[in-house]
Amino acid sequence: MVFVLRSLWVVLQHMFRKRETYRYPEEKAPLPPRWRGRIVLARDPDGGERCVACYLCAVSCPVDCIALQATEDDQGRRYPDWFRINFSRCIYCGLCEEACPTYAIQLIPDYEMSEYRRDKLVYEKEHLLIEGPGKYPHYNFYREAGVSVGVKDPGESREEEPPVDIRSLLP
Amino acid sequence: MATIWIDGVSYEADPSRNLLAVILELGFDLPYFCWHPALGSIGACRQCAITQFRGEDDHQGQVVMACMTPAAEGARVSIDHASAATLRKSVIEWLMVSHPHDCPVCDEGGECHLQDMTVMAGHTYRRSRLPKRTYISQDLGPLIGHEMNRCIQCYRCVRFYREYAGGHDLQAMGTRDRIYFGRYQDGPLESEFAGNLVEICPTGVFTDKTQARHYTRKWDLQTAPSICTHCGVGCNINPGERYGALRRVRARYHGAVNGYFLCDRGRYGYEFESSDRRIRVPLAPRGEQNQAEELSVQAAVTRVAKILTSSRRVIGVGSPRATIESNYALQRLVGADGFFHAACAEEHRSSLAALDALREGPSRSPALREIERCDAVVVLGEDLTQSAPMMALAIRQAALAIPRSVAERQGIPPWHDAAIRESVQSARGPVFLLSPAPTKLDDLATRVYRKTPRAIAAAGQAIARALDPQVPALAGDEMDRAGIEEIARALTVAERPLVVAGSGTASEAVINAAANLAWATSAAREDDRAAELAYALPWANSAGLSLLGGAPLDEALAAAERGEVDAAIILESDLDRIAGPGPAERFLGQVRHAVVLDHIAHPTAARADVVLPAATFAEGHGHLVNSEGRAQRQMAVFSPDEPIRESWRWLREAMMLAGYDEADSWTGAEAIAEAAARDHPALARLPDAQLSADFRLGGAKVARAPHRYSGRAAAKLHLNVLEPTPPRDNDSPLEFSMEGSPVLPPGKIETTFWAPGWSSPQALTRFQEEIDGPLRGGDPGVRLIEPAGEPFAYRDVALSAPSPELAPTPVVAAFGSEELSALAPGIAALAPRAFLELNPRDAASLGLADDDVVSVRARGASARLSVRLEPGRAQGTAGIPLGLEDIPVALSFAGELITGS
Ligand code: SF4
Ligand code: SF4
Ligand code: SF4
Ligand code: SF4
Ligand code: FES
């Protein structure tokens, strides 16, 4: 009997506590920036596409829901010709983001992706590519890499010496 | 066998090998860079360090390079000992100090030996914050990318390019840490074997440029064992497919044929598969109002069946670039006497004569890697670097056989590349070349003779006669006695002499003279053995087609001329390309109906009644027989979109509808191969070329795709949100999927060549029975032709009468002469311009100068060519480019110069 009364007392107390649930959709939960939701493809600080179509996100994806095709422009800069994520398969594990060497692919705090038709959950590059750098404002892969691809001249990446003169005989 | 101790455990080892090879063969992981089984050891990279102990009680030991230490009896070594392990770790860290931050955009990534070795040595993070040394990379042409920042100075590239493949224009330049591997200036690499740098270089300095615009990682490629379709050598290839198109071709190791390498025609010719000339649906090119009309499968097959039933005499034109299966189906359809070859008379006769010679006499046709071990070589007429490139590469190694054996007699182990080179210096040969024009092998020849094809045959016969007086004499040999005797002596004293010829001289006499020469050696030699005899035939299945039998195209044209043909079924060939547009158009006008089966569109197809889309080598199953007489199986790399299918399947469907009951029994690729084997005793062993379709490993088939194949839940979802089931393959032990037996399959059906810790092509050591030996479980393919032995009758060398005309000799180009590879943009960009090549004296007597334009004519075909003077060309010959710029093949073999008017 005493147990029953104690339980009722606890329930009664909760009636005056702050509510844990939200009146969604009128009211939305504040999400931490590292919350793993909808996936985007970001741009680098120069405004260029960050994704270099290296396929690392695709291979790290445990449900194989990322597919893309690499191509390159006349300067040799790699980018995805097309990029597709099947969000009806995605488990929002964030492994793609972790694998991405360029901070291109990012999971962002947005979960409002419900659709009545499954094929609407197949996102193409035009649905994924955003205008800014997303969570990582400063990183610029092509300014770290050894390839020039029209972004800079040889030897102009961070921590690079100017190209050697192979004809020099100086010791 | 020697007993050696590795980390305290004893193993049996072959003392003629180095410890690195032995350690890898035993399955241990030991990082290395500069060693390569085909190149040997030079001890340059200091990566393969191990600790060697003086005896059981020595615990300190000393660090040695495994690749430079013989597996001597009683050797005690440790891989894990701290001193060696630390050195290995440091060496790779030094190599990486200037390495760029490139893996994501580096085409080597995912199959990079440097990545593998870095991880194997125990590194995960970069510690160095020093600024990196950089280079300016070069433009090396349409096939190969160059990114020098990634170089680790292992020297493999120059060792392969210069020493192994005989190239001149790639060098190590500069001093100290500025060493540079490249050309003296930008420009395409000149060697026909440059593409092998992509696989030889352990880093991403040299990459496959054709792949760059549709780049795919190794783990995403679907692969199956296949055979190169671009010449008669029959190199084994690993084509990789993604999203329904070929992405690249890599060498597939074969212990007896091509070893580790390919020529660039074979490596880069694959892009014809996605050329915009592909035929992908059945067509009626001359439909209503001459408008091309697409047909349904049903309609197309019905039309063909109607043509078959309504025509009195149907002939078939078989193709030396189509499989045995497709040619066999066509031959059954039209009957043996209605079966013709898509080859002009000269090429047809040469192929037939070559196969007869290999079957009738005592000489064996060596496999490519047996050619490498021959120690005296005579080449009659053929420009091998252009017509059968990998055979030329093998002869390059054969030229080193004697100099190397001298080195070995000095006590130098065969793997000790640096010491061997020191000993060999520039010694080569004996190699004798008789040819109408300069060839790229000239630089290694003991002696070079420039002769007309007629004189080459006569000289061959004269040498044969010097070896065996029973060889019938011929008038017209212009070769000096001393030369004859020199070659005869070389063939007599050699351990393993070799005679090579091919169809490239347009002369059956040369083929026969080569056979006589090879056979005659048996009379002069103490061991009574005849020299080996290798022929270079032009097409991937020239030999197979000749084994089926049939008459040349010219006879089909003649039959049509006589009005004896009602319908022609033309298999995978462009008659315009062979006979010329005039004769081909005439032929197609004379036959009432024509059906073309092919995968690329061409003028002949445009004039047919029905065109059926055939599968390419990557899309279908079938067998090819190479010049050696080895039957090899191509397995479909991917399943093509409907309605593309193998030519024989189209023929079968039409035949079944037209009431040819036998086609019923060709239920699959294996059933038709078995039928061909039953009908043609020469093909009896065809089904043994590969494992059969019911082969299972632990109850499962073998996956074509690697286990980390990505994106299957997204790849095709733009078409339909329901993921498609992968197509089934009932014709082979492979599956079109990443799902298959977890057990490692036998080497002959291995698809990914990946082993834990080894993602690069160097993983191969895990798939060989012994290093450089056959694939685990045996190499694929069966030899269909073995020599008959004694007694034999010398072949009749019928020389044409000497004529004042210039003898037409085809000028073959490695890039451009072969029909399919010439459709690949990279190859097309390197194809030479078409010229009429003349000796300046001949030109002078004809009153011709450089750049004059001359008409060449043969059998109703003609072309206009501008003259190029080539002082190296034999007088009395006219070099006519083969297959370049739409010049009909018949002209190259039989063209007459029309001058004066
Ligand atoms: S991992 Fe990043 S850079 Fe690589 S393909 Fe994916 S999104 Fe692009
Ligand atoms: S060579 Fe290898 S380690 Fe170097 S960037 Fe390329 S993939 Fe990375
Ligand atoms: S380019 Fe490649 S093969 Fe040549 S030295 Fe550098 S790393 Fe070695
Ligand atoms: S030699 Fe012939 S078969 Fe070998 S790769 Fe080259 S073209 Fe292909
Ligand atoms: S592999 Fe032994 S030193 Fe390079």
Side-chain angles (χ1 to χ4, degrees):
Chain A
M1 188 62 197
V2 88
F3 298 112
V4 173
L5 288 177
R6 201 159 80 197
S7 304
L8 283 173
W9 175 238
V10 170
V11 170
L12 202 70
Q13 272 183 320
H14 273 279
M15 291 183 63
F16 305 100
R17 288 253 177 95
K18 185 177 173 295
R19 228 192 326 260
E20 290 292 343
T21 50
Y22 293 88
R23 291 169 183 274
Y24 184 81
E26 289 78 22
E27 200 185 308
K28 286 175 188 166
L31 296 176
R34 290 198 294 173
W35 202 85
R36 302 196 306 264
R38 182 164 65 89
I39 299 177
V40 295
L41 289 174
R43 290 178 186 273
D44 63 29
D46 296 343
E49 253 180 74
R50 250 187 188 153
C51 175
V52 298
C54 70
Y55 294 100
L56 288 179
C57 50
V59 74
S60 69
C61 175
V63 293
D64 288 342
C65 73
I66 305 179
L68 64 147
Q69 174 60 59
T71 189
E72 60 180 36
D73 66 14
D74 293 335
Q75 309 265 27
R77 181 178 174 135
R78 279 285 155 86
Y79 66 94
D81 188 16
W82 51 267
F83 198 113
R84 184 174 306 130
I85 301 182
N86 174 6
F87 281 113
S88 71
R89 286 275 183 178
C90 177
I91 56 170
Y92 304 92
C93 64
L95 286 182
C96 51
E97 176 166 359
E98 205 151 310
C100 180
T102 67
Y103 292 135
I105 199 165
Q106 300 177 10
L107 279 78
I108 58 165
D110 172 18
Y111 48 82
E112 295 178 304
M113 305 173 65
S114 312
E115 298 283 355
Y116 286 106
R117 293 178 44 165
R118 256 184 78 197
D119 53 8
K120 292 247 155 88
L121 286 167
V122 178
Y123 281 40
E124 299 289 337
K125 184 168 144 184
E126 71 230 53
H127 311 125
L128 296 166
L129 192 61
I130 61 168
E131 284 307 315
K135 290 185 270 182
Y136 308 94
H138 304 301
Y139 189 73
N140 194 338
F141 172 79
Y142 278 120
R143 301 220 168 256
E144 310 280 328
V147 291
S148 327
V149 299
V151 170
K152 62 198 183 238
D153 283 331
E156 288 186 349
S157 263
R158 230 161 44 83
E159 291 177 354
E160 271 189 358
E161 288 172 354
V164 298
D165 175 7
I166 57 168
R167 292 187 172 78
S168 164
L169 290 175
L170 293 177
Chain B
M1 279 291 164
T3 307
I4 61 163
W5 301 76
I6 301 174
D7 286 310
V9 183
S10 75
Y11 299 92
E12 293 291 294
D14 176 355
S16 70
R17 289 176 177 269
N18 64 58
L19 279 173
L20 175 58
V22 168
I23 283 171
L24 292 173
E25 207 165 275
L26 288 170
F28 292 103
D29 286 343
L30 178 61
Y32 65 89
F33 288 114
C34 63
W35 174 82
H36 185 283
L39 304 179
S41 318
I42 53 166
C45 69
R46 315 319 276 171
Q47 188 55 62
C48 64
I50 52 171
T51 309
Q52 184 165 30
F53 305 100
R54 292 211 184 83
E56 230 171 314
D57 303 326
D58 178 6
H59 295 294
Q60 188 168 359
Q62 57 173 348
V63 170
V64 296
M65 292 306 126
C67 69
M68 297 298 277
T69 315
E73 173 63 38
R76 282 171 185 277
V77 297
S78 166
I79 301 173
D80 300 338
H81 194 264
S83 54
T86 328
L87 177 65
R88 291 199 301 263
K89 199 165 173 177
S90 313
V91 166
I92 211 159
E93 197 162 14
W94 296 324
L95 290 178
M96 290 299 239
V97 163
S98 280
H99 204 74
H101 186 70
D102 266 5
C103 294
V105 288
C106 175
D107 289 358
E108 199 83 353
E111 53 183 322
C112 173
H113 189 57
L114 178 57
Q115 282 179 335
D116 286 351
M117 298 300 104
T118 309
V119 173
M120 193 179 284
H123 293 286
T124 33
Y125 278 97
R126 175 188 179 82
R127 292 194 297 166
S128 165
R129 289 284 166 260
L130 299 170
K132 297 173 182 179
R133 173 201 57 211
T134 61
Y135 294 99
I136 295 183
S137 303
Q138 293 178 324
D139 179 354
L140 298 180
L143 305 180
I144 295 165
H146 187 233
E147 194 53 59
M148 247 315 278
N149 288 347
R150 301 172 186 152
C151 177
I152 55 163
Q153 278 79 25
C154 71
Y155 281 74
R156 266 192 188 190
C157 51
V158 282
R159 287 169 67 212
F160 170 78
Y161 195 88
R162 301 178 70 86
E163 273 113 45
Y164 193 91
H168 300 291
D169 58 331
L170 182 82
Q171 282 155 5
M173 294 175 276
T175 56
R176 60 170 177 100
D177 67 344
R178 295 181 297 238
I179 302 282
Y180 188 87
F181 297 83
R183 281 168 51 89
Y184 73 103
Q185 62 175 38
D186 286 18
L189 286 167
E190 283 160 14
S191 168
E192 287 73 17
F193 309 100
N196 293 300
L197 294 174
V198 173
E199 287 180 76
I200 275 275
C201 173
T203 74
V205 174
F206 298 104
T207 51
D208 180 340
K209 217 186 224 177
T210 66
Q211 203 191 346
R213 282 185 196 265
H214 50 230
Y215 181 71
T216 305
R217 299 252 179 240
K218 178 181 179 179
W219 63 64
D220 279 342
L221 289 171
Q222 191 165 227
T223 306
S226 192
I227 308 299
C228 176
T229 47
H230 303 300
C231 90
V233 174
C235 297
N236 285 225
I237 54 170
N238 271 330
E241 172 266 359
R242 178 84 177 167
Y243 305 134
L246 279 188
R247 292 299 193 233
R248 72 174 193 193
V249 162
R250 288 286 157 99
R252 180 182 180 86
Y253 179 82
H254 191 292
V257 184
N258 54 312
Y260 306 86
F261 305 122
L262 287 182
C263 80
D264 287 2
R265 185 201 277 181
R267 182 180 301 271
Y268 296 112
Y270 73 94
E271 282 187 298
F272 82 86
E273 187 267 349
S274 36
S275 120
D276 37 4
R277 275 176 56 190
R278 268 309 292 276
I279 304 171
R280 297 191 181 272
V281 286
L283 292 171
R286 299 182 303 185
E288 312 248 321
Q289 292 144 4
N290 253 356
Q291 283 290 310
E293 178 193 341
E294 282 187 16
L295 299 177
S296 68
V297 171
Q298 188 60 37
V301 171
T302 316
R303 280 197 198 193
V304 176
K306 208 184 263 159
I307 291 176
L308 292 181
T309 44
S310 68
S311 304
R312 221 167 9 90
R313 188 163 136 97
V314 184
I315 65 159
V317 181
S319 166
R321 64 169 161 86
T323 59
I324 293 274
E325 283 80 353
S326 296
N327 279 302
Y328 169 76
L330 180 58
Q331 195 185 32
R332 295 304 300 171
L333 167 61
V334 297
D337 49 351
F339 187 64
F340 299 86
H341 295 182
C344 67
E346 291 80 7
E347 186 190 309
H348 176 261
R349 272 203 303 274
S350 296
S351 301
L352 247 45
L355 281 182
D356 286 346
L358 291 178
R359 281 184 290 187
E360 283 168 11
S363 286
R364 188 171 173 282
S365 64
L368 218 46
R369 300 197 90 197
E370 289 163 336
I371 293 181
E372 291 178 2
R373 294 192 281 273
C374 290
D375 55 355
V377 183
V378 182
V379 182
L380 294 188
E382 194 72 8
D383 183 356
L384 291 170
T385 315
Q386 307 301 325
S387 66
M390 283 295 284
M391 209 184 259
L393 189 62
I395 286 179
R396 235 167 231 294
Q397 315 317 312
L400 283 166
I402 296 261
R404 275 176 161 273
S405 68
V406 172
E408 279 167 40
R409 274 202 297 283
Q410 293 164 339
I412 303 173
W415 44 262
H416 201 311
D417 187 42
I420 290 208
R421 253 188 296 140
E422 227 24 73
S423 156
V424 166
Q425 299 285 337
S426 61
R428 296 287 183 278
V431 173
F432 300 93
L433 303 178
L434 290 75
S435 68
T439 74
K440 277 201 172 177
L441 285 179
D442 290 358
D443 63 350
L444 57 70
T446 318
R447 228 163 290 289
V448 178
Y449 296 92
R450 289 280 172 267
K451 291 176 176 300
T452 62
R454 186 173 180 279
I456 290 171
Q461 186 85 344
I463 306 164
R465 204 169 138 73
L467 290 162
D468 181 1
Q470 308 234 341
V471 175
L474 276 184
D477 88 70
E478 309 146 15
M479 194 147 153
D480 60 296
R481 228 36 246 171
I484 292 181
E485 265 151 32
E486 183 188 23
I487 298 179
R489 200 168 44 249
L491 291 175
T492 320
V493 299
E495 192 73 37
R496 206 169 169 167
L498 169 70
V499 178
V500 186
S503 46
T505 40
S507 162
E508 191 188 356
V510 171
I511 299 269
N512 289 334
N516 288 352
L517 176 54
W519 298 349
T521 48
S522 67
R525 290 172 61 90
E526 268 170 27
D527 61 4
D528 289 342
R529 268 193 309 128
E532 312 208 353
L533 178 59
Y535 287 114
L537 303 180
W539 294 94
N541 202 20
S542 285
L545 185 61
S546 302
L547 286 176
L548 287 175
L553 182 62
D554 309 60
E555 286 181 29
L557 303 190
E561 195 73 43
R562 292 192 300 272
E564 291 169 9
V565 183
D566 299 317
I569 317 281
I570 299 158
L571 178 66
E572 302 184 26
S573 41
D574 175 6
L575 304 188
D576 289 59
R577 185 181 180 278
I578 301 168
E585 189 172 0
R586 203 175 157 78
F587 172 72
L588 289 167
Q590 282 156 345
V591 303
R592 274 196 299 123
H593 300 292
V595 177
V596 168
L597 301 101
D598 209 341
H599 36 75
I600 48 166
H602 39 64
T604 302
R607 296 198 201 99
D609 297 76
V610 184
V611 179
L612 299 171
T616 63
F617 74 98
E619 297 160 343
H621 295 275
H623 288 84
L624 302 173
V625 183
N626 72 357
S627 305
E628 176 205 347
R630 181 184 295 264
Q632 306 193 93
R633 167 91 188 255
Q634 292 177 329
M635 284 182 179
V637 177
F638 63 104
S639 173
D641 289 337
E642 269 290 308
I644 297 171
R645 61 200 71 183
E646 293 102 323
S647 295
W648 66 264
R649 281 191 220 264
W650 282 117
L651 290 174
R652 172 173 187 256
E653 283 168 40
M655 284 166 78
M656 281 167 51
L657 206 60
Y660 294 75
D661 292 339
E662 113 175 75
D664 254 344
S665 66
W666 304 337
T667 48
E670 295 197 334
I672 185 166
E674 276 159 21
R678 267 196 311 277
D679 274 359
H680 293 270
L683 299 175
R685 297 187 59 208
L686 202 61
D688 303 337
Q690 254 294 3
L691 295 174
S692 75
D694 44 29
F695 175 87
R696 294 285 181 281
L697 273 174
K701 297 180 86 173
V702 175
R704 279 179 169 85
H707 59 274
R708 258 329 288 151
Y709 191 75
S710 76
R712 64 169 169 173
K716 293 189 182 147
L717 266 69
H718 59 307
L719 303 173
N720 184 347
V721 76
L722 303 173
E723 289 153 36
T725 13
R728 303 304 304 242
D729 182 1
N730 297 320
D731 295 307
S732 83
L734 306 180
E735 278 295 18
F736 293 113
S737 123
M738 58 198 269
E739 276 153 33
S741 166
V743 188
L744 225 47
K748 58 174 79 163
I749 52 167
E750 171 63 36
T751 51
T752 43
F753 290 94
W754 177 91
W758 300 83
S759 314
S760 76
Q762 321 295 322
L764 187 62
T765 55
R766 296 290 191 262
F767 299 88
Q768 292 167 319
E769 233 154 56
E770 55 181 54
I771 283 176
D772 229 21
L775 285 172
R776 206 163 10 81
D779 287 320
V782 282
R783 283 173 60 92
L784 298 180
I785 298 175
E786 293 298 344
E790 318 265 350
F792 60 86
Y794 284 110
R795 291 182 70 81
D796 187 16
V797 179
L799 292 188
S800 51
S803 77
E805 311 278 316
L806 297 184
T809 54
V811 179
V812 187
F815 303 139
S817 279
E818 192 268 336
E819 185 183 6
L820 298 179
S821 58
L823 295 176
I827 298 283
L830 292 176
R833 292 266 335 270
F835 284 107
L836 174 70
E837 238 184 56
L838 294 176
N839 181 294
R841 290 199 209 177
D842 288 334
S845 65
L846 293 168
L848 292 172
D850 246 332
D851 294 334
D852 283 358
V853 177
V854 179
S855 285
V856 183
R857 225 180 276 166
R859 299 172 199 152
S862 68
R864 291 174 63 74
L865 287 168
S866 54
V867 171
R868 188 172 60 180
L869 301 184
E870 168 57 70
R873 167 163 286 281
Q875 253 184 289
T877 64
I880 304 169
L882 179 70
L884 298 180
E885 297 174 12
D886 294 331
I887 297 170
V889 172
L891 285 184
S892 314
F893 283 98
E896 269 176 62
L897 269 54
I898 311 300
T899 49
S901 51

